[in-house]
Amino acid sequence: DRWKTPRYGFLLSGSQRRISLSLNEAVRLLPYKILIRSADDPAEAEASLAAVQVIKAGRPDAHVTMLTPLSLTDFWKNCPAVDDVISYQPGSGATEIAKRIKQAGDFSVGILFPGHFRAALEMTLAGVPYRFGPPHRQFLNHWKNAVGADDPPAGGPERYRRIAMAAGARIE
């Protein structure tokens, strides 16, 4: 019921393997729960929208949940590629956010759009087993299982495109 990939790229759209599922088989798949930590800035969240869409399209069993500040909750709820939203108050502690993540369920993978330590710490404390994000200082890389996207730019759509490509998404 679950597909495993041999490399860090967990999205199947960039894989050489082809997938063919009947409607009955697609319904029986266990959801591959992906938690994406949204950027805090509304302009950066909007810039990451295309990357979220290709991440969702990267697996037929993908269930995408966004972890986002309260101010961006409506933005992500209106995105068709997002299945669930976990929101938090600005100023919430990392342990409080980790508790919210645990209450939402078990996630297969976490994608960090922001490159700061706190985002990685939240997912680590929540027990997300496989954390993926852009490279940063060596100390931050310790908190992630996989470092992807060779030195993405500081912001904008190109940053999120590179993160999605490093996760295995096919972007044309």
Side-chain angles (χ1 to χ4, degrees), residues 3-64:
W3 295 324
K4 305 281 187 197
T5 56
R7 294 176 289 140
Y8 287 139
F10 53 87
L11 299 176
L12 302 174
S13 60
S15 173
Q16 294 296 324
R17 298 177 186 213
R18 298 293 172 236
I19 302 164
S20 176
L21 296 172
S22 69
L23 185 57
N24 291 338
E25 290 173 323
V27 171
R28 286 193 324 231
L29 286 175
L30 293 174
Y32 191 80
K33 294 184 78 174
I34 302 170
L35 177 65
I36 301 175
R37 172 62 156 83
S38 171
D40 297 335
D41 181 53
E44 288 297 310
E46 193 169 330
S48 68
L49 188 58
V52 172
Q53 291 169 342
V54 296
I55 288 169
K56 174 71 172 182
R59 288 184 71 108
D61 57 347
H63 181 89
V64 175

Tab-separated table of all heavy atoms in Angstrom, residues 3-64:
chain	number	residue	atom	x	y	z
A	3	TRP	N	4.507	3.176	-1.307
A	3	TRP	CA	5.661	3.120	-2.192
A	3	TRP	C	6.851	3.713	-1.480
A	3	TRP	O	6.774	4.768	-0.881
A	3	TRP	CB	5.413	3.904	-3.467
A	3	TRP	CG	4.337	3.340	-4.299
A	3	TRP	CD1	4.043	2.027	-4.489
A	3	TRP	CD2	3.384	4.064	-5.056
A	3	TRP	NE1	2.986	1.890	-5.316
A	3	TRP	CE2	2.551	3.127	-5.679
A	3	TRP	CE3	3.148	5.400	-5.267
A	3	TRP	CZ2	1.508	3.487	-6.504
A	3	TRP	CZ3	2.101	5.758	-6.094
A	3	TRP	CH2	1.309	4.809	-6.698
A	4	LYS	N	7.965	3.044	-1.557
A	4	LYS	CA	9.210	3.548	-0.983
A	4	LYS	C	10.134	3.925	-2.130
A	4	LYS	O	10.206	3.243	-3.136
A	4	LYS	CB	9.893	2.479	-0.131
A	4	LYS	CG	9.021	1.911	0.962
A	4	LYS	CD	8.965	2.828	2.130
A	4	LYS	CE	8.217	2.139	3.252
A	4	LYS	NZ	7.765	2.964	4.268
A	5	THR	N	10.848	5.013	-1.953
A	5	THR	CA	11.798	5.430	-2.969
A	5	THR	C	13.203	5.277	-2.405
A	5	THR	O	13.436	5.512	-1.227
A	5	THR	CB	11.565	6.887	-3.398
A	5	THR	OG1	11.620	7.712	-2.251
A	5	THR	CG2	10.213	7.042	-4.070
A	6	PRO	N	14.177	4.876	-3.221
A	6	PRO	CA	15.522	4.624	-2.710
A	6	PRO	C	16.334	5.879	-2.431
A	6	PRO	O	17.339	5.818	-1.765
A	6	PRO	CB	16.166	3.808	-3.831
A	6	PRO	CG	15.442	4.222	-5.061
A	6	PRO	CD	14.035	4.526	-4.627
A	7	ARG	N	15.907	7.022	-2.935
A	7	ARG	CA	16.663	8.248	-2.738
A	7	ARG	C	15.841	9.227	-1.912
A	7	ARG	O	14.704	8.981	-1.572
A	7	ARG	CB	16.997	8.879	-4.090
A	7	ARG	CG	17.950	8.047	-4.914
A	7	ARG	CD	18.165	8.661	-6.271
A	7	ARG	NE	16.932	8.495	-7.042
A	7	ARG	CZ	16.434	9.401	-7.841
A	7	ARG	NH1	17.023	10.540	-8.010
A	7	ARG	NH2	15.321	9.190	-8.502
A	8	TYR	N	16.426	10.371	-1.616
A	8	TYR	CA	15.719	11.380	-0.848
A	8	TYR	C	14.495	11.907	-1.566
A	8	TYR	O	13.560	12.344	-0.958
A	8	TYR	CB	16.643	12.550	-0.517
A	8	TYR	CG	17.667	12.232	0.526
A	8	TYR	CD1	18.966	12.671	0.399
A	8	TYR	CD2	17.336	11.508	1.646
A	8	TYR	CE1	19.910	12.400	1.360
A	8	TYR	CE2	18.265	11.223	2.614
A	8	TYR	CZ	19.554	11.674	2.465
A	8	TYR	OH	20.477	11.408	3.421
A	9	GLY	N	14.501	11.917	-2.880
A	9	GLY	CA	13.363	12.425	-3.632
A	9	GLY	C	12.163	11.526	-3.421
A	9	GLY	O	12.098	10.435	-3.962
A	10	PHE	N	11.211	11.953	-2.627
A	10	PHE	CA	10.070	11.120	-2.291
A	10	PHE	C	8.883	11.353	-3.207
A	10	PHE	O	7.902	10.645	-3.142
A	10	PHE	CB	9.650	11.347	-0.843
A	10	PHE	CG	9.421	12.797	-0.528
A	10	PHE	CD1	8.201	13.379	-0.741
A	10	PHE	CD2	10.454	13.565	-0.030
A	10	PHE	CE1	8.004	14.713	-0.474
A	10	PHE	CE2	10.260	14.900	0.244
A	10	PHE	CZ	9.031	15.478	0.027
A	11	LEU	N	8.972	12.361	-4.076
A	11	LEU	CA	7.911	12.583	-5.039
A	11	LEU	C	8.175	11.721	-6.259
A	11	LEU	O	9.306	11.565	-6.694
A	11	LEU	CB	7.847	14.064	-5.430
A	11	LEU	CG	7.555	15.013	-4.271
A	11	LEU	CD1	7.606	16.451	-4.741
A	11	LEU	CD2	6.220	14.703	-3.642
A	12	LEU	N	7.133	11.146	-6.802
A	12	LEU	CA	7.302	10.156	-7.856
A	12	LEU	C	7.222	10.720	-9.263
A	12	LEU	O	7.478	10.023	-10.218
A	12	LEU	CB	6.241	9.061	-7.690
A	12	LEU	CG	6.283	8.349	-6.335
A	12	LEU	CD1	5.114	7.401	-6.213
A	12	LEU	CD2	7.591	7.622	-6.152
A	13	SER	N	6.869	11.990	-9.413
A	13	SER	CA	6.706	12.537	-10.758
A	13	SER	C	8.021	12.618	-11.514
A	13	SER	O	8.032	12.543	-12.731
A	13	SER	CB	6.042	13.918	-10.698
A	13	SER	OG	6.831	14.803	-9.942
A	14	GLY	N	9.135	12.761	-10.821
A	14	GLY	CA	10.426	12.830	-11.480
A	14	GLY	C	11.081	11.470	-11.639
A	14	GLY	O	12.168	11.360	-12.181
A	15	SER	N	10.427	10.427	-11.192
A	15	SER	CA	10.982	9.078	-11.225
A	15	SER	C	10.849	8.470	-12.615
A	15	SER	O	9.962	8.827	-13.393
A	15	SER	CB	10.237	8.200	-10.214
A	15	SER	OG	10.642	6.862	-10.325
A	16	GLN	N	11.730	7.527	-12.941
A	16	GLN	CA	11.654	6.819	-14.212
A	16	GLN	C	10.540	5.772	-14.191
A	16	GLN	O	10.126	5.283	-15.225
A	16	GLN	CB	12.997	6.132	-14.518
A	16	GLN	CG	14.119	7.104	-14.752
A	16	GLN	CD	13.880	7.954	-15.980
A	16	GLN	OE1	13.338	7.509	-16.974
A	16	GLN	NE2	14.272	9.223	-15.904
A	17	ARG	N	10.072	5.418	-13.004
A	17	ARG	CA	8.998	4.443	-12.895
A	17	ARG	C	7.687	5.087	-13.325
A	17	ARG	O	7.416	6.227	-13.038
A	17	ARG	CB	8.860	3.944	-11.460
A	17	ARG	CG	10.089	3.254	-10.980
A	17	ARG	CD	9.913	2.857	-9.552
A	17	ARG	NE	11.162	2.323	-9.043
A	17	ARG	CZ	11.236	1.382	-8.147
A	17	ARG	NH1	10.152	0.876	-7.637
A	17	ARG	NH2	12.397	0.953	-7.742
A	18	ARG	N	6.873	4.324	-13.970
A	18	ARG	CA	5.567	4.814	-14.392
A	18	ARG	C	4.513	4.246	-13.455
A	18	ARG	O	4.621	3.122	-12.972
A	18	ARG	CB	5.273	4.412	-15.835
A	18	ARG	CG	6.263	5.008	-16.807
A	18	ARG	CD	6.091	6.525	-16.848
A	18	ARG	NE	7.142	7.130	-17.628
A	18	ARG	CZ	7.938	8.072	-17.179
A	18	ARG	NH1	7.825	8.524	-15.975
A	18	ARG	NH2	8.862	8.592	-17.936
A	19	ILE	N	3.472	5.005	-13.245
A	19	ILE	CA	2.428	4.626	-12.299
A	19	ILE	C	1.113	4.523	-13.053
A	19	ILE	O	0.737	5.433	-13.788
A	19	ILE	CB	2.297	5.683	-11.187
A	19	ILE	CG1	3.630	5.827	-10.469
A	19	ILE	CG2	1.198	5.322	-10.223
A	19	ILE	CD1	3.717	7.080	-9.649
A	20	SER	N	0.420	3.424	-12.839
A	20	SER	CA	-0.896	3.247	-13.432
A	20	SER	C	-1.799	2.657	-12.360
A	20	SER	O	-1.561	1.558	-11.868
A	20	SER	CB	-0.802	2.311	-14.639
A	20	SER	OG	-2.085	2.080	-15.149
A	21	LEU	N	-2.805	3.412	-11.992
A	21	LEU	CA	-3.723	2.964	-10.955
A	21	LEU	C	-5.156	3.034	-11.451
A	21	LEU	O	-5.547	3.996	-12.107
A	21	LEU	CB	-3.613	3.870	-9.717
A	21	LEU	CG	-2.290	3.884	-8.974
A	21	LEU	CD1	-2.311	4.978	-7.914
A	21	LEU	CD2	-2.032	2.550	-8.334
A	22	SER	N	-5.917	2.004	-11.103
A	22	SER	CA	-7.345	2.095	-11.360
A	22	SER	C	-7.958	2.936	-10.247
A	22	SER	O	-7.319	3.214	-9.229
A	22	SER	CB	-7.976	0.704	-11.369
A	22	SER	OG	-7.964	0.163	-10.067
A	23	LEU	N	-9.181	3.347	-10.405
A	23	LEU	CA	-9.842	4.169	-9.399
A	23	LEU	C	-9.926	3.433	-8.067
A	23	LEU	O	-9.709	4.023	-7.008
A	23	LEU	CB	-11.235	4.582	-9.882
A	23	LEU	CG	-11.993	5.543	-8.989
A	23	LEU	CD1	-11.170	6.820	-8.779
A	23	LEU	CD2	-13.334	5.878	-9.575
A	24	ASN	N	-10.205	2.139	-8.098
A	24	ASN	CA	-10.292	1.351	-6.862
A	24	ASN	C	-8.944	1.281	-6.146
A	24	ASN	O	-8.879	1.340	-4.923
A	24	ASN	CB	-10.801	-0.061	-7.146
A	24	ASN	CG	-12.249	-0.063	-7.568
A	24	ASN	OD1	-12.980	0.880	-7.279
A	24	ASN	ND2	-12.662	-1.099	-8.280
A	25	GLU	N	-7.863	1.135	-6.900
A	25	GLU	CA	-6.539	1.074	-6.294
A	25	GLU	C	-6.139	2.405	-5.686
A	25	GLU	O	-5.546	2.456	-4.618
A	25	GLU	CB	-5.491	0.664	-7.338
A	25	GLU	CG	-5.609	-0.771	-7.788
A	25	GLU	CD	-4.669	-1.069	-8.936
A	25	GLU	OE1	-4.483	-0.202	-9.799
A	25	GLU	OE2	-4.130	-2.180	-8.953
A	26	ALA	N	-6.458	3.500	-6.347
A	26	ALA	CA	-6.110	4.826	-5.838
A	26	ALA	C	-6.838	5.122	-4.536
A	26	ALA	O	-6.295	5.779	-3.647
A	26	ALA	CB	-6.436	5.896	-6.879
A	27	VAL	N	-8.052	4.650	-4.391
A	27	VAL	CA	-8.818	4.879	-3.170
A	27	VAL	C	-8.230	4.092	-2.008
A	27	VAL	O	-8.242	4.540	-0.867
A	27	VAL	CB	-10.303	4.514	-3.404
A	27	VAL	CG1	-11.083	4.520	-2.109
A	27	VAL	CG2	-10.919	5.461	-4.404
A	28	ARG	N	-7.678	2.915	-2.269
A	28	ARG	CA	-7.142	2.054	-1.213
A	28	ARG	C	-5.751	2.455	-0.727
A	28	ARG	O	-5.287	1.938	0.281
A	28	ARG	CB	-7.078	0.611	-1.703
A	28	ARG	CG	-8.408	-0.056	-1.791
A	28	ARG	CD	-8.248	-1.547	-1.972
A	28	ARG	NE	-7.103	-1.876	-2.795
A	28	ARG	CZ	-7.128	-2.675	-3.840
A	28	ARG	NH1	-8.247	-3.233	-4.211
A	28	ARG	NH2	-6.040	-2.934	-4.532
A	29	LEU	N	-5.069	3.345	-1.428
A	29	LEU	CA	-3.725	3.743	-1.028
A	29	LEU	C	-3.733	4.426	0.341
A	29	LEU	O	-4.622	5.227	0.632
A	29	LEU	CB	-3.112	4.711	-2.040
A	29	LEU	CG	-2.646	4.138	-3.357
A	29	LEU	CD1	-2.196	5.265	-4.264
A	29	LEU	CD2	-1.535	3.149	-3.153
A	30	LEU	N	-2.742	4.122	1.137
A	30	LEU	CA	-2.566	4.867	2.384
A	30	LEU	C	-2.074	6.263	2.025
A	30	LEU	O	-1.206	6.408	1.168
A	30	LEU	CB	-1.526	4.185	3.273
A	30	LEU	CG	-1.898	2.821	3.833
A	30	LEU	CD1	-0.705	2.219	4.558
A	30	LEU	CD2	-3.091	2.916	4.749
A	31	PRO	N	-2.593	7.295	2.650
A	31	PRO	CA	-2.130	8.646	2.292
A	31	PRO	C	-0.679	8.858	2.731
A	31	PRO	O	-0.283	8.444	3.819
A	31	PRO	CB	-3.079	9.567	3.047
A	31	PRO	CG	-3.659	8.744	4.127
A	31	PRO	CD	-3.637	7.320	3.662
A	32	TYR	N	0.089	9.450	1.859
A	32	TYR	CA	1.461	9.842	2.170
A	32	TYR	C	1.377	11.269	2.684
A	32	TYR	O	1.221	12.215	1.919
A	32	TYR	CB	2.339	9.746	0.916
A	32	TYR	CG	3.805	9.884	1.193
A	32	TYR	CD1	4.539	8.810	1.670
A	32	TYR	CD2	4.468	11.086	0.988
A	32	TYR	CE1	5.895	8.928	1.918
A	32	TYR	CE2	5.814	11.219	1.235
A	32	TYR	CZ	6.524	10.126	1.700
A	32	TYR	OH	7.864	10.246	1.950
A	33	LYS	N	1.423	11.420	3.998
A	33	LYS	CA	1.154	12.704	4.634
A	33	LYS	C	2.394	13.588	4.616
A	33	LYS	O	3.415	13.253	5.201
A	33	LYS	CB	0.652	12.488	6.052
A	33	LYS	CG	-0.713	11.783	6.052
A	33	LYS	CD	-1.263	11.636	7.430
A	33	LYS	CE	-1.834	12.964	7.838
A	33	LYS	NZ	-2.535	12.900	9.111
A	34	ILE	N	2.270	14.708	3.918
A	34	ILE	CA	3.358	15.669	3.766
A	34	ILE	C	2.994	16.928	4.537
A	34	ILE	O	1.936	17.509	4.320
A	34	ILE	CB	3.571	16.014	2.274
A	34	ILE	CG1	3.886	14.747	1.470
A	34	ILE	CG2	4.667	17.062	2.117
A	34	ILE	CD1	3.861	14.959	-0.034
A	35	LEU	N	3.870	17.332	5.442
A	35	LEU	CA	3.692	18.573	6.195
A	35	LEU	C	4.649	19.608	5.622
A	35	LEU	O	5.859	19.374	5.558
A	35	LEU	CB	3.982	18.355	7.679
A	35	LEU	CG	3.909	19.591	8.568
A	35	LEU	CD1	2.492	20.149	8.616
A	35	LEU	CD2	4.388	19.260	9.976
A	36	ILE	N	4.114	20.742	5.199
A	36	ILE	CA	4.941	21.811	4.642
A	36	ILE	C	4.883	22.996	5.592
A	36	ILE	O	3.800	23.471	5.924
A	36	ILE	CB	4.464	22.231	3.241
A	36	ILE	CG1	4.506	21.040	2.280
A	36	ILE	CG2	5.327	23.381	2.709
A	36	ILE	CD1	3.943	21.342	0.904
A	37	ARG	N	6.035	23.459	6.027
A	37	ARG	CA	6.117	24.648	6.885
A	37	ARG	C	6.155	25.862	5.975
A	37	ARG	O	7.096	26.080	5.232
A	37	ARG	CB	7.358	24.566	7.763
A	37	ARG	CG	7.685	25.802	8.579
A	37	ARG	CD	6.590	26.136	9.572
A	37	ARG	NE	7.076	26.919	10.684
A	37	ARG	CZ	7.244	28.247	10.661
A	37	ARG	NH1	6.975	28.930	9.577
A	37	ARG	NH2	7.675	28.875	11.741
A	38	SER	N	5.083	26.646	6.027
A	38	SER	CA	4.943	27.820	5.174
A	38	SER	C	5.871	28.940	5.623
A	38	SER	O	6.214	29.056	6.796
A	38	SER	CB	3.495	28.309	5.228
A	38	SER	OG	3.352	29.550	4.583
A	39	ALA	N	6.226	29.774	4.677
A	39	ALA	CA	6.946	31.005	5.003
A	39	ALA	C	5.998	31.914	5.789
A	39	ALA	O	4.778	31.850	5.625
A	39	ALA	CB	7.418	31.690	3.732
A	40	ASP	N	6.539	32.769	6.642
A	40	ASP	CA	5.719	33.637	7.476
A	40	ASP	C	5.225	34.872	6.738
A	40	ASP	O	4.206	35.450	7.101
A	40	ASP	CB	6.511	34.077	8.719
A	40	ASP	CG	6.879	32.894	9.600
A	40	ASP	OD1	6.183	31.866	9.549
A	40	ASP	OD2	7.866	33.012	10.356
A	41	ASP	N	5.919	35.283	5.715
A	41	ASP	CA	5.600	36.496	4.971
A	41	ASP	C	4.558	36.194	3.890
A	41	ASP	O	4.704	35.219	3.146
A	41	ASP	CB	6.882	37.033	4.327
A	41	ASP	CG	6.661	38.302	3.549
A	41	ASP	OD1	6.092	39.247	4.125
A	41	ASP	OD2	7.046	38.335	2.365
A	42	PRO	N	3.488	36.997	3.779
A	42	PRO	CA	2.464	36.737	2.753
A	42	PRO	C	3.012	36.720	1.324
A	42	PRO	O	2.578	35.899	0.506
A	42	PRO	CB	1.465	37.889	2.940
A	42	PRO	CG	1.648	38.327	4.347
A	42	PRO	CD	3.098	38.102	4.662
A	43	ALA	N	3.959	37.587	1.011
A	43	ALA	CA	4.525	37.602	-0.343
A	43	ALA	C	5.300	36.310	-0.618
A	43	ALA	O	5.227	35.755	-1.720
A	43	ALA	CB	5.438	38.815	-0.523
A	44	GLU	N	6.031	35.812	0.371
A	44	GLU	CA	6.770	34.554	0.202
A	44	GLU	C	5.816	33.362	0.119
A	44	GLU	O	6.071	32.411	-0.619
A	44	GLU	CB	7.766	34.359	1.356
A	44	GLU	CG	8.958	35.283	1.292
A	44	GLU	CD	9.809	35.038	0.052
A	44	GLU	OE1	10.174	33.881	-0.237
A	44	GLU	OE2	10.124	36.019	-0.638
A	45	ALA	N	4.729	33.406	0.877
A	45	ALA	CA	3.726	32.332	0.803
A	45	ALA	C	3.127	32.275	-0.596
A	45	ALA	O	2.946	31.190	-1.163
A	45	ALA	CB	2.648	32.547	1.852
A	46	GLU	N	2.842	33.428	-1.171
A	46	GLU	CA	2.299	33.473	-2.522
A	46	GLU	C	3.332	32.980	-3.543
A	46	GLU	O	2.990	32.293	-4.498
A	46	GLU	CB	1.865	34.892	-2.866
A	46	GLU	CG	1.015	34.968	-4.100
A	46	GLU	CD	0.381	36.330	-4.287
A	46	GLU	OE1	0.103	37.021	-3.294
A	46	GLU	OE2	0.157	36.692	-5.456
A	47	ALA	N	4.592	33.288	-3.308
A	47	ALA	CA	5.650	32.832	-4.211
A	47	ALA	C	5.829	31.313	-4.154
A	47	ALA	O	6.274	30.700	-5.118
A	47	ALA	CB	6.973	33.526	-3.866
A	48	SER	N	5.478	30.698	-3.033
A	48	SER	CA	5.651	29.254	-2.877
A	48	SER	C	4.459	28.444	-3.380
A	48	SER	O	4.501	27.218	-3.375
A	48	SER	CB	5.911	28.917	-1.404
A	48	SER	OG	4.766	29.156	-0.623
A	49	LEU	N	3.407	29.103	-3.819
A	49	LEU	CA	2.178	28.429	-4.234
A	49	LEU	C	2.418	27.415	-5.354
A	49	LEU	O	1.911	26.291	-5.307
A	49	LEU	CB	1.142	29.465	-4.655
A	49	LEU	CG	-0.263	28.971	-4.932
A	49	LEU	CD1	-0.851	28.280	-3.720
A	49	LEU	CD2	-1.150	30.133	-5.336
A	50	ALA	N	3.180	27.779	-6.363
A	50	ALA	CA	3.446	26.867	-7.481
A	50	ALA	C	4.205	25.630	-7.014
A	50	ALA	O	3.939	24.510	-7.473
A	50	ALA	CB	4.223	27.579	-8.580
A	51	ALA	N	5.140	25.800	-6.084
A	51	ALA	CA	5.893	24.655	-5.561
A	51	ALA	C	4.983	23.708	-4.794
A	51	ALA	O	5.115	22.485	-4.896
A	51	ALA	CB	7.035	25.138	-4.670
A	52	VAL	N	4.053	24.244	-4.029
A	52	VAL	CA	3.101	23.398	-3.288
A	52	VAL	C	2.250	22.593	-4.269
A	52	VAL	O	1.989	21.402	-4.052
A	52	VAL	CB	2.217	24.259	-2.361
A	52	VAL	CG1	1.117	23.430	-1.736
A	52	VAL	CG2	3.062	24.904	-1.274
A	53	GLN	N	1.856	23.202	-5.367
A	53	GLN	CA	1.041	22.505	-6.361
A	53	GLN	C	1.797	21.345	-7.011
A	53	GLN	O	1.230	20.269	-7.205
A	53	GLN	CB	0.539	23.493	-7.410
A	53	GLN	CG	-0.471	24.456	-6.860
A	53	GLN	CD	-0.799	25.608	-7.795
A	53	GLN	OE1	-0.049	25.896	-8.723
A	53	GLN	NE2	-1.919	26.267	-7.536
A	54	VAL	N	3.069	21.535	-7.336
A	54	VAL	CA	3.822	20.435	-7.951
A	54	VAL	C	4.171	19.361	-6.918
A	54	VAL	O	4.291	18.195	-7.272
A	54	VAL	CB	5.088	20.912	-8.706
A	54	VAL	CG1	4.717	21.796	-9.864
A	54	VAL	CG2	6.076	21.578	-7.804
A	55	ILE	N	4.313	19.738	-5.660
A	55	ILE	CA	4.539	18.735	-4.616
A	55	ILE	C	3.294	17.860	-4.481
A	55	ILE	O	3.387	16.637	-4.399
A	55	ILE	CB	4.915	19.410	-3.281
A	55	ILE	CG1	6.335	19.973	-3.374
A	55	ILE	CG2	4.786	18.443	-2.110
A	55	ILE	CD1	6.733	20.881	-2.233
A	56	LYS	N	2.130	18.461	-4.475
A	56	LYS	CA	0.873	17.706	-4.392
A	56	LYS	C	0.715	16.789	-5.594
A	56	LYS	O	0.278	15.646	-5.466
A	56	LYS	CB	-0.305	18.681	-4.293
A	56	LYS	CG	-1.670	18.039	-4.356
A	56	LYS	CD	-1.991	17.261	-3.123
A	56	LYS	CE	-3.455	16.798	-3.169
A	56	LYS	NZ	-3.832	16.080	-1.988
A	57	ALA	N	1.068	17.272	-6.778
A	57	ALA	CA	0.938	16.468	-7.994
A	57	ALA	C	2.015	15.393	-8.096
A	57	ALA	O	1.904	14.495	-8.929
A	57	ALA	CB	1.008	17.374	-9.224
A	58	GLY	N	3.023	15.436	-7.238
A	58	GLY	CA	4.151	14.519	-7.319
A	58	GLY	C	3.864	13.105	-6.866
A	58	GLY	O	4.621	12.196	-7.174
A	59	ARG	N	2.786	12.897	-6.141
A	59	ARG	CA	2.404	11.552	-5.695
A	59	ARG	C	0.895	11.418	-5.764
A	59	ARG	O	0.174	12.311	-5.329
A	59	ARG	CB	2.839	11.307	-4.248
A	59	ARG	CG	4.319	11.132	-4.047
A	59	ARG	CD	4.590	10.793	-2.598
A	59	ARG	NE	4.141	9.464	-2.259
A	59	ARG	CZ	4.946	8.442	-2.022
A	59	ARG	NH1	6.235	8.604	-2.081
A	59	ARG	NH2	4.463	7.264	-1.703
A	60	PRO	N	0.392	10.288	-6.245
A	60	PRO	CA	-1.066	10.118	-6.287
A	60	PRO	C	-1.678	9.950	-4.902
A	60	PRO	O	-2.866	10.184	-4.716
A	60	PRO	CB	-1.261	8.861	-7.135
A	60	PRO	CG	0.026	8.145	-7.079
A	60	PRO	CD	1.093	9.175	-6.866
A	61	ASP	N	-0.867	9.574	-3.917
A	61	ASP	CA	-1.375	9.351	-2.564
A	61	ASP	C	-1.014	10.490	-1.611
A	61	ASP	O	-1.131	10.356	-0.399
A	61	ASP	CB	-0.840	8.031	-2.016
A	61	ASP	CG	0.684	7.950	-2.001
A	61	ASP	OD1	1.324	8.808	-2.644
A	61	ASP	OD2	1.229	7.039	-1.368
A	62	ALA	N	-0.600	11.639	-2.144
A	62	ALA	CA	-0.147	12.756	-1.310
A	62	ALA	C	-1.321	13.414	-0.580
A	62	ALA	O	-2.371	13.678	-1.159
A	62	ALA	CB	0.567	13.798	-2.159
A	63	HIS	N	-1.112	13.656	0.701
A	63	HIS	CA	-2.040	14.417	1.538
A	63	HIS	C	-1.216	15.566	2.115
A	63	HIS	O	-0.372	15.350	2.984
A	63	HIS	CB	-2.615	13.541	2.645
A	63	HIS	CG	-3.581	14.262	3.521
A	63	HIS	ND1	-4.923	14.313	3.245
A	63	HIS	CD2	-3.400	14.980	4.650
A	63	HIS	CE1	-5.531	15.026	4.178
A	63	HIS	NE2	-4.625	15.441	5.040
A	64	VAL	N	-1.423	16.773	1.602
A	64	VAL	CA	-0.587	17.923	1.954
A	64	VAL	C	-1.253	18.728	3.070
A	64	VAL	O	-2.407	19.131	2.952
A	64	VAL	CB	-0.330	18.821	0.725
A	64	VAL	CG1	0.426	20.081	1.113
A	64	VAL	CG2	0.438	18.058	-0.335
